[in-house]
Amino acid sequence: MVVKGMKLGLNRFTLAVSLTLTAATFAASMPSVKSQGTNTIAIDGSSTVYPITEAVAEDFQKQKGGAVKVTVGVSGTGGGFKKFCSGQTDISNASRPILAKEMEACKKAGVQYIELPVAYDALTVVVNPANNWAKSLSVAELKKIWEPAAQGKIKNWNQVRQGFPNAPLTLYGPGPDSGTFDYFTEAVNGKSKASRTDYTPSEDDNVLVQGVSRDKNALGYFGYAYYAANQNKVKAVPIDGGKGPVSPSKETVENGTYQPLSRPIFIYVSAKAAQRPEVKEFVEFYLNNGAKYAQEVNYVPLPAQAYKIALGHFQKPKLGTVFGGKEAVGLQVNELLQREAQQ
């Protein structure tokens, strides 16, 4: 697959979402993944991770000549882990590390897993292209907008910063099952899931893009790939994490300056499913080509050494998580590599 500016990829993504959601719903009604047949790989979870996993799945299926079917759903990181920990899926896409409650759910169900970072994302705050005043925002201003105490109170742009217009502040963001929601609220508000609720939520980032693109006064946030594919519809806001405004980009993620909104993204593989040849081949294909696909869909590839380490962890296999059930706010690429290498 060749993605031209990712626009083609996400147009295909929009079409594929309805198809994969149908497939995922059908899969959920089955007693187990095994009942689908040994040549089907069921994946669900993060809409942020969806573009890279879907690109890998498409090419892997072509390589296998149709002998293996890979379904990729988009129920959000939290929704994906619910299915994964109940044995409904083989692989879970996640835009944050597995949380303690999800670890416990998997443990109770006897689901062991292998945690594999696949790329880095720059979580991107966007406004409408006609917005000519929010040329940057500080983390403190983001908190002022999104914290629970803002609900019903911070309703106009001039309440965010003196000099901003007296115009309604319309908000769009991921729903509560989203790992992006979890990460953003932890990084900005200081506590995961602590957020005002009077905004338009969706687990589908395309819905958020459309919302912001149609409203001059709108603000939203989602993964960088969706911004990169829609730069004609939305505008990224540079974020000041304490050292001046920094725009999201491959370079600012790699050098650690885009903080605190850059983050690793993952796939979690069922240890039981990994024993099936088609799942083993798929994951090895994913990791061996991870940098290429991450770049194609506008995420930041991990260093080559990171994919090598991840492949070793998968083949060993190394079970569990290196994050202890907590978010990884502010974790830079080199720090992730060090953490993975020590395991």
Side-chain angles (χ1 to χ4, degrees), residues 207-327:
V207 173
L208 307 180
V209 169
Q210 291 302 318
V212 175
S213 72
R214 293 170 180 165
D215 187 342
K216 178 181 178 180
N217 299 311
L219 177 144
Y221 66 92
F222 39 73
Y224 183 80
Y226 291 83
Y227 159 68
N230 294 282
Q231 293 183 57
N232 61 327
K233 296 179 180 179
V234 296
K235 182 168 62 175
V237 180
I239 302 302
D240 187 349
K243 298 181 179 179
V246 178
S247 296
S249 70
K250 179 177 183 290
E251 292 70 29
T252 58
V253 170
E254 287 180 336
N255 65 26
T257 59
Y258 187 68
Q259 291 292 344
L261 297 182
S262 63
R263 54 175 180 165
I265 57 178
F266 307 85
I267 60 171
Y268 285 76
V269 184
S270 159
K272 182 179 179 181
Q275 296 174 22
R276 297 187 351 236
E278 68 274 14
V279 175
K280 182 176 185 292
E281 285 183 46
F282 174 78
V283 175
E284 289 177 346
F285 179 84
Y286 201 136
L287 297 175
N288 283 326
N289 297 280
K292 179 184 80 167
Y293 288 109
Q295 193 164 346
E296 279 186 0
V297 300
N298 290 303
Y299 286 130
V300 180
L302 299 174
Q305 181 67 10
Y307 291 109
K308 184 178 179 181
I309 291 169
L311 185 60
H313 287 173
F314 175 68
Q315 292 173 337
K316 195 174 286 184
K318 178 189 167 295
L319 303 177
T321 172
V322 301
F323 295 96
K326 299 177 181 178
E327 293 281 8

Side-chain angles (χ1 to χ4, degrees), residues 4-342:
K4 296 180 180 178
M6 185 58 187
K7 191 170 184 179
L8 174 63
L10 281 183
N11 283 343
R12 180 185 62 209
F13 168 39
T14 305
L15 173 63
V17 166
S18 61
L19 298 176
T20 52
L21 281 175
T22 301
T25 301
F26 175 75
S29 68
M30 302 293 281
S32 70
V33 172
K34 194 71 175 176
S35 65
Q36 298 178 52
T38 55
N39 291 326
T40 297
I41 302 172
I43 306 173
D44 208 319
S46 168
S47 62
T48 301
V49 187
Y50 176 94
I52 183 171
T53 299
E54 175 64 13
V56 173
E58 182 177 304
D59 282 3
F60 179 76
Q61 288 174 107
K62 287 178 181 177
Q63 185 188 84
K64 300 302 290 183
V68 178
K69 180 182 178 183
V70 185
T71 64
V72 189
V74 284
S75 59
T77 297
F81 274 129
K82 287 175 186 175
K83 293 180 179 181
F84 182 75
C85 292
S86 62
Q88 295 178 38
T89 56
D90 301 308
I91 297 171
S92 207
N93 290 331
S95 62
R96 55 153 174 79
I98 189 169
L99 300 178
K101 65 178 182 180
E102 294 158 346
M103 293 168 65
E104 185 61 28
C106 277
K107 184 178 179 181
K108 283 184 178 179
V111 175
Q112 295 182 302
Y113 49 85
I114 307 153
E115 175 184 79
L116 302 169
V118 293
Y120 249 77
D121 175 32
L123 201 160
T124 305
V125 177
V126 299
V127 292
N128 186 280
N131 182 319
N132 60 3
W133 59 89
K135 296 177 180 178
S136 71
L137 288 169
S138 68
V139 174
E141 286 169 333
L142 288 177
K143 182 178 181 182
K144 189 175 185 180
I145 292 169
W146 286 100
E147 65 183 343
Q151 182 153 334
K153 296 178 181 178
I154 306 300
K155 298 188 288 185
N156 280 51
W157 276 100
N158 63 357
Q159 293 175 281
V160 178
R161 184 191 299 176
Q162 188 176 1
F164 281 179
N166 182 14
L169 176 62
T170 313
L171 299 175
Y172 293 83
D177 270 344
S178 166
T180 299
F181 174 81
D182 292 339
Y183 186 92
F184 183 88
T185 51
E186 177 84 22
V188 171
N189 296 334
K191 184 179 179 181
S192 180
K193 297 190 182 298
S195 173
R196 67 190 299 169
T197 59
D198 54 343
Y199 70 96
T200 301
S202 179
E203 310 298 346
D204 182 351
D205 294 333
N206 289 300
V207 173
L208 307 180
V209 169
Q210 291 302 318
V212 175
S213 72
R214 293 170 180 165
D215 187 342
K216 178 181 178 180
N217 299 311
L219 177 144
Y221 66 92
F222 39 73
Y224 183 80
Y226 291 83
Y227 159 68
N230 294 282
Q231 293 183 57
N232 61 327
K233 296 179 180 179
V234 296
K235 182 168 62 175
V237 180
I239 302 302
D240 187 349
K243 298 181 179 179
V246 178
S247 296
S249 70
K250 179 177 183 290
E251 292 70 29
T252 58
V253 170
E254 287 180 336
N255 65 26
T257 59
Y258 187 68
Q259 291 292 344
L261 297 182
S262 63
R263 54 175 180 165
I265 57 178
F266 307 85
I267 60 171
Y268 285 76
V269 184
S270 159
K272 182 179 179 181
Q275 296 174 22
R276 297 187 351 236
E278 68 274 14
V279 175
K280 182 176 185 292
E281 285 183 46
F282 174 78
V283 175
E284 289 177 346
F285 179 84
Y286 201 136
L287 297 175
N288 283 326
N289 297 280
K292 179 184 80 167
Y293 288 109
Q295 193 164 346
E296 279 186 0
V297 300
N298 290 303
Y299 286 130
V300 180
L302 299 174
Q305 181 67 10
Y307 291 109
K308 184 178 179 181
I309 291 169
L311 185 60
H313 287 173
F314 175 68
Q315 292 173 337
K316 195 174 286 184
K318 178 189 167 295
L319 303 177
T321 172
V322 301
F323 295 96
K326 299 177 181 178
E327 293 281 8
V329 172
L331 189 71
Q332 297 181 19
V333 175
N334 62 329
E335 294 171 333
L336 173 68
L337 186 59
Q338 291 169 5
R339 187 177 294 196
E340 291 291 328
Q342 290 170 1

